[in-house]
Amino acid sequence: MKQHLIVLDLDGTLLTDEKKISDKTKETLFKAKEAGHQVMIATGRPFRASQLYYNELLLTTPIVNFNGALVHHPKNAGWKTLHSPIDISVVHDVVDSVDKYQYENLIAEVMDDVFIHNEDNRMMDIFNMGDPRVTIGNLRGSLNEDPTSLLIHADEANVPIIRDHLASVHAELIDHRRWGAPFHIIEIVRKGLNKAVGISHIAKDLNIPRDRIIAFGDEDNDLEMLEYAGLGVAMSNGIDDLKNIANEITLSNNEDGIAKFLIERLKL
């Protein structure tokens, strides 16, 4: 069988609800690599929060982090990194404009440095992963360089209200996506960035055509990725919008959906 590129979202897709890779899925991905296929990760997480899984799968491919704002190769320092941060003036405008809405917190990430608007112990476990340098304080004063991404943590009911505002006021400069539970977060990146942009760059580097890309996802930050891939696969636990555009739907992240699909499709 011709070489395929297998693209994996992390949360809600590759990872179970316990944030682990199941034994069956890991074994299947190892078999896929042994059969000559390439396996890569495309996630909204920063690298420090995805490195554990990259290493667990013994990957040697580039990775897409921050939903496409950072595309790099952890194993090859000579590979040309693509880093596309948001202009800090745009971030300041967004911070000012959302002040009239109810939100819990604002978090900016500059590669692996984290800037948190309001101290919040509930979220520190997420943002402490990988031992980053954390600065707490008003982003207007503490953030002094272009961030890779900006996160808005809000109550579930307020997320669509804030997203409507961002779409109407800042649409020309930023793109935004939604995280799922347990925290309802809007992730903002520079306009024109998404996972598909990073994947297309990596696929060209690996010389794998679009029609031999299999991508798995579950959330709205996976929409472009599944549309771009030759075969876009939604997890059964995924959102309806993703299932509607997917080529196929597999079992959930807790039912070895990735393994089941690859075993059948790639005859592993």
Side-chain angles (χ1 to χ4, degrees), residues 109-251:
E109 300 194 64
V110 180
M111 299 291 276
D112 285 321
D113 288 344
V114 180
F115 297 81
I116 300 179
H117 197 65
N118 302 313
E119 187 167 7
D120 186 346
N121 291 329
R122 294 173 304 163
M123 304 199 73
M124 289 310 293
D125 284 347
I126 293 179
F127 294 101
N128 269 334
M129 191 172 185
D131 197 27
R133 182 172 59 188
V134 177
T135 302
I136 297 173
N138 192 303
L139 292 188
R140 268 296 205 173
S142 63
L143 183 64
N144 54 15
E145 58 183 305
D146 297 345
T148 311
S149 72
L150 175 69
L151 309 177
I152 303 174
H153 176 210
D155 181 85
E156 183 176 10
N158 288 320
V159 165
I161 297 169
I162 296 172
R163 290 194 71 184
D164 284 347
H165 164 76
L166 294 173
S168 63
V169 177
H170 302 284
E172 293 182 0
L173 298 171
I174 60 170
D175 278 327
H176 49 94
R177 295 291 180 267
R178 176 178 63 86
W179 288 13
F183 294 109
H184 298 283
I185 288 177
I186 303 161
E187 179 167 17
I188 297 169
V189 294
R190 186 170 158 183
K191 181 70 176 179
L193 297 178
N194 54 63
K195 292 181 181 181
V197 174
I199 292 163
S200 66
H201 183 74
I202 292 170
K204 286 173 188 170
D205 185 68
L206 295 172
N207 199 28
I208 298 176
R210 184 173 171 180
D211 63 356
R212 291 204 304 264
I213 298 174
I214 305 174
F216 296 88
D218 72 304
E219 266 290 352
D220 77 342
N221 65 341
D222 298 314
L223 284 164
E224 293 90 353
M225 174 173 84
L226 263 63
E227 286 183 322
Y228 175 79
L231 191 50
V233 185
M235 312 302 288
S236 66
N237 54 287
I239 61 171
D240 288 341
D241 285 351
L242 194 71
K243 292 177 184 175
N244 290 339
I245 62 100
N247 299 109
E248 299 199 32
I249 299 171
T250 189
L251 296 177

Side-chain angles (χ1 to χ4, degrees), residues 92-112:
H92 287 161
D93 287 346
V94 170
V95 170
D96 289 344
S97 74
V98 299
D99 264 350
K100 59 179 173 285
Y101 297 95
Q102 287 187 314
Y103 63 84
E104 303 284 331
N105 216 336
L106 302 169
I107 303 100
E109 300 194 64
V110 180
M111 299 291 276
D112 285 321

